[in-house]
Amino acid sequence: MENHPLYSKVQAALDSIRPYLIADGGNVEIIEITEDNRLKLNLLGACKSCNMSAMTFKAGVEEAIRREVPEITFVEELSQTVQS
């Protein structure tokens, strides 16, 4: 997966918001970037069970990725699906 041409750009986008997730006891990891630039993520720690996780994912994680890596066509979290 680290071989995908967008991997480092996605990691950088996630690193821009990761301190906020960690401060609340959570984090996010890349599961897969497919050949057609679909991104699969996993929320970790407190982010996984927080009742605000959908908001965090949509307004925080997905927004950072869309802003920094517009080549990503679809963002999916293991427990929810988000499409633009």
Side-chain angles (χ1 to χ4, degrees):
M1 172 181 47
E2 287 96 12
N3 298 346
H4 193 285
L6 297 178
Y7 181 83
S8 61
K9 288 177 74 174
V10 170
Q11 238 356 327
L14 293 175
D15 286 346
S16 73
I17 62 157
R18 192 167 269 127
Y20 304 105
L21 300 174
I22 291 170
D24 285 335
N27 209 335
V28 62
E29 69 178 344
I30 299 171
I31 300 301
E32 180 182 12
I33 305 173
T34 65
E35 290 180 13
D36 60 346
N37 296 340
R38 296 167 66 94
L39 176 63
K40 296 180 182 184
L41 299 172
N42 188 25
L43 291 176
L44 304 170
C47 288
K48 189 84 170 170
S49 60
C50 175
N51 62 359
M52 295 297 291
S53 65
M55 176 74 79
T56 298
F57 189 79
K58 184 75 176 165
V61 175
E62 184 184 5
E63 181 61 31
I65 292 165
R66 298 258 182 237
R67 182 177 53 247
E68 300 296 324
V69 195
E71 300 91 340
I72 293 296
T73 58
F74 187 86
V75 180
E76 179 179 10
E77 201 276 321
L78 293 182
S79 65
Q80 62 184 344
T81 302
V82 180
Q83 185 173 12
S84 63

